[in-house]
Amino acid sequence: MEVKLKIYRNRIELFTGSKVHFETPKEAFSTQRLLVGDFDAAWNCIVNAEKKLSIKGLFKRKPKVIVEPKEMVEGGISSVEERIFRELAMALNPKSVEVHV
């Protein structure tokens, strides 16, 4: 299974083949400088979306997660931002994580 995690300002989209889910957090996770400035708010947003799509399960295979930051990537992303995106993908208990810019 492959899951695409698209991150926008204060919105996360999860794509799993035929299913799509948009999740907006209760509190903003983006700041003026960073796409993900509040890690906990973004983590909760991903966990809520995962529950609605039921990606994880006892007999389900671990997904390959592709993270695509869609905003605030002019000139690339820093190693800190890449680590943030990788850590957020860990909410989905992946087999592997790729960050595409």
Side-chain angles (χ1 to χ4, degrees):
M1 173 189 280
E2 184 174 284
V3 176
K4 286 190 180 181
L5 178 64
K6 295 185 180 185
I7 303 176
Y8 297 90
R9 287 186 193 200
N10 299 317
R11 189 179 84 206
I12 291 179
E13 297 177 2
L14 265 80
F15 295 90
T16 59
S18 61
K19 296 180 184 177
V20 178
H21 183 72
F22 304 98
E23 188 72 29
T24 54
K26 295 176 184 173
E27 53 192 54
F29 60 78
S30 294
T31 63
Q32 193 173 16
R33 293 185 189 179
L34 295 171
L35 187 57
V36 178
D38 185 356
F39 186 82
D40 291 332
W43 179 274
N44 291 333
C45 191
I46 291 174
V47 169
N48 290 337
E50 182 274 323
K51 287 179 184 175
K52 293 176 184 171
L53 289 176
S54 66
I55 295 169
K56 293 190 288 189
L58 185 60
F59 297 108
K60 294 187 178 183
R61 295 175 49 195
K62 292 184 176 185
K64 174 183 176 183
V65 178
I66 299 173
V67 181
E68 296 178 357
K70 292 296 192 181
E71 296 180 323
M72 302 174 74
V73 292
E74 299 81 25
I77 59 173
S78 68
S79 61
V80 173
E81 290 173 316
E82 183 176 351
R83 177 145 184 213
I84 289 170
F85 298 138
R86 288 185 182 280
E87 291 286 329
L88 284 174
M90 291 299 160
L92 301 173
N93 193 21
K95 174 176 62 173
S96 65
V97 177
E98 294 179 15
V99 179
H100 293 184
V101 179

